[in-house]
Amino acid sequence: MRVVIVAMLVLMCGGIGGGMAEAQPPQADPGQEQVAFDSDGVTLYGTVYRPAGAGQHPGIVLVGGSGPGPGAEYRPEAEAFVRAGITTLVVDKRTVGYSTRRRNFGVLADDALAGVRLLRNRPDVAAEHVGLWGFSEGGWVAMLAASRSTTVGFVVTIGGSGVTPMRTQTWLLANLLRHKGISGGLSDAVSGPGAAVVDGAGVFPEADYDPLPALRQVRVPVLALWGDHDMKVPGAESATIYQRELATAGNHSVTTRFVPNAGHNGHRTTDGFDRVGGELFEDKPLGELGPGYADVITDWIHSVAADQAPPSGAAPAPAQAMSSRAPGDHPGLEYAALAALLLGFAVYPLSTIGRMMLRRKLSGGAREVRWAARAVSVTGLLAALGGVVYVVGILAVGSQMPPTSFAAGQPLPWLLVRGLTLAVPVAAVVLGVSGWRARGRMDALLRWQTIVLFAAAAAFVPWALHWQLLPR
């Protein structure tokens, strides 16, 4: 069963850039310098944006979010920083060893530190004032890099999460389902048992990465920002976690703030879901940087570079529509329960086929029992397998293929699965009644099949409640 789930997820997710050669550097523009440097045996390419004017400047390395996006994706941020007199390095993310199914935050942290070394060795950069800017996934990476090195002068994050990647993903999907008008138990199924199944399959890279140990080791000044319409990361929760865990590290310069009218990446948005804000679905250009977003960062960096890092302070957080939820933590039990149910429902067709292959006659005097047994077997198999496949499919495709409400706040596939689920106990009752009435006309095999199917149907009910397939 685990092999089936893994194969389905791999086919749905696809690969992004695994094993490809590193991108070649683009042609340089005035005020920019193309660079190449090594990290963990891979040559990385990037662009240094040079401020005008002589002397040494603070430096910052931009650590991008998830996906293989080239460094040019962050050009608006780089140009805003360089206008403020900050030397900025934008790096094209490695493609070797990085894909939808494979990534290592430790390796990405090494890449970020290699970028820090490159800037520190430049004569036009103040070596002691080189820091990291991390967006989304880059927030985990930047904090990890800073926890490992004494050469990082400060850390800035935008849209960084204080919880695990899997918990962050299920929170995003819960927001997405709500935004699409979907109510009921589907969100709980995705966040709970569905997340446990995907986690157990091992196809969600770094799913259980815990950011807290790294946060507890970061002692340099930190500026953490979230858009007030961030729908990908639980910003209010994350801000509280950052303040608490960094204080545990003895860090006395932790600033958490929220960018007004901005989405996950600090760009303008109306509600966090439109592509104008750099968000999830619509094929529209990115909006402008959020109002004051770049100024907040650059003013803060110059304060740190002047050895005037501000004391810790937390801005009021906007209301968070829902709390994030820890995913199910017993994937082995989820797989075992599903396998047992599928086997129980499959007993009737498998044993019947075996009997036919042996050319033994079926019990002719209990036809109504056989029809009821078929109904339990078919509805049970379709409901159990269909429910898991649909929930896991939502996790696999994430925001790329959002389901839409069909009726009563439910997607059509979910309504169909729930209808099949309700049919299972009904068919089981019919099987029990018909089996009792025909008990004198059933042979040993049909009697055994009936008992197994009835037991599978009885076990199916609490399992279906756990997977939100039955209304509570």
Side-chain angles (χ1 to χ4, degrees):
M1 179 52 57
R2 176 170 173 171
V3 173
V4 174
I5 297 293
V6 171
M8 184 192 73
L9 285 165
V10 168
L11 288 173
M12 298 180 79
C13 289
I16 299 182
M20 295 171 60
E22 295 301 304
Q24 294 300 312
Q27 295 299 313
D29 293 329
Q32 301 174 25
E33 178 183 336
Q34 307 307 310
V35 295
F37 55 99
D38 292 334
S39 176
D40 281 353
V42 172
T43 299
L44 300 176
Y45 297 95
T47 304
V48 174
Y49 289 74
R50 303 186 302 266
Q56 291 187 323
H57 304 275
I60 192 166
V61 178
L62 306 193
V63 183
S66 62
E73 181 178 338
Y74 306 106
R75 181 165 184 159
E77 286 82 359
E79 291 178 341
F81 297 160
V82 79
R83 282 196 301 268
I86 301 168
T87 303
T88 304
L89 170 62
V90 181
V91 182
D92 291 334
K93 183 178 289 183
R94 65 168 54 233
T95 54
V96 174
Y98 185 94
S99 72
T100 54
R101 300 189 303 275
R102 181 185 176 193
R103 70 194 61 175
N104 184 312
F105 288 168
V107 171
L108 296 178
D110 289 342
D111 293 349
L113 292 176
V116 169
R117 287 193 297 272
L118 183 145
L119 287 187
R120 284 172 57 89
N121 289 329
R122 291 177 62 92
D124 57 345
V125 173
E128 68 276 19
H129 298 308
V130 175
L132 296 168
W133 171 95
F135 162 56
S136 192
E137 177 185 275
W140 288 310
V141 174
M143 288 295 185
L144 181 58
S147 73
R148 291 179 168 185
S149 173
T150 59
T151 62
V152 176
F154 56 86
V155 177
V156 178
T157 64
I158 173 68
S161 178
V163 298
T164 67
M166 178 61 80
R167 185 165 177 168
T168 301
Q169 178 72 357
T170 58
W171 188 83
L172 154 66
L173 292 174
N175 277 319
L176 172 57
L177 292 170
R178 179 173 55 85
H179 178 68
K180 290 295 180 180
I182 295 171
S183 58
L186 181 55
S187 177
D188 290 335
V190 169
S191 300
V197 168
V198 172
D199 197 3
V203 296
F204 191 123
E206 294 280 19
D208 300 317
Y209 172 78
D210 183 359
L212 302 189
L215 288 172
R216 292 167 186 159
Q217 298 297 320
V218 176
R219 295 176 174 82
V220 296
V222 171
L223 172 63
L225 304 173
W226 294 268
D228 63 355
H229 292 315
D230 192 337
M231 294 296 154
K232 286 190 172 183
V233 164
E237 282 182 57
S238 297
T240 299
I241 291 170
Y242 273 38
Q243 287 283 350
R244 183 186 69 231
E245 300 302 325
L246 288 163
T248 300
N251 194 325
H252 301 296
S253 182
V254 181
T255 302
T256 53
R257 297 184 63 172
F258 293 83
V259 184
N261 303 314
H264 179 53
N265 60 359
H267 290 246
R268 287 180 182 269
T269 183
T270 57
D271 61 0
F273 290 97
D274 55 357
R275 184 61 175 167
V276 170
E279 287 298 325
L280 301 175
F281 319 117
E282 304 299 333
D283 187 17
K284 299 177 182 177
L286 291 175
E288 298 176 353
L289 293 177
Y293 163 67
D295 292 340
V296 167
I297 295 176
T298 56
D299 289 348
W300 182 87
I301 290 174
H302 282 301
S303 294
V304 172
D307 296 323
Q308 297 176 358
S312 293
Q320 190 173 294
M322 67 187 78
S323 298
S324 68
R325 173 181 170 180
D329 56 359
H330 300 292
L333 292 178
E334 298 290 352
Y335 280 102
L338 178 60
L341 283 175
L342 294 179
L343 181 60
F345 288 126
V347 158
Y348 179 79
L350 292 177
S351 57
T352 299
I353 292 172
R355 184 168 188 164
M356 294 173 64
M357 291 177 66
L358 294 174
R359 298 184 179 181
R360 296 180 181 178
K361 292 183 179 181
L362 300 176
S363 176
R367 183 173 299 175
E368 69 277 17
V369 179
R370 293 204 308 274
W371 277 108
R374 291 169 188 158
V376 174
S377 177
V378 171
T379 56
L381 287 170
L382 290 177
L385 192 57
V388 171
V389 168
Y390 184 66
V391 170
V392 169
I394 291 175
L395 278 157
V397 300
S399 62
Q400 301 303 311
M401 191 181 296
T404 55
S405 176
F406 176 77
Q410 304 293 303
L412 180 57
W414 189 242
L415 284 173
L416 294 175
V417 169
R418 280 190 152 187
L420 287 167
T421 301
L422 288 171
V424 174
V426 173
V429 170
V430 174
L431 176 62
V433 172
S434 60
W436 176 257
R437 290 176 176 174
R439 61 188 181 278
R441 294 178 283 117
M442 296 166 60
D443 61 15
L445 176 61
L446 184 57
R447 187 175 295 109
W448 175 76
Q449 290 172 327
T450 300
I451 292 172
V452 172
L453 283 172
F454 201 79
F460 175 79
V461 172
W463 180 89
L465 287 169
H466 173 61
W467 276 81
Q468 309 293 322
L469 296 174
L470 284 173
R472 292 180 180 270

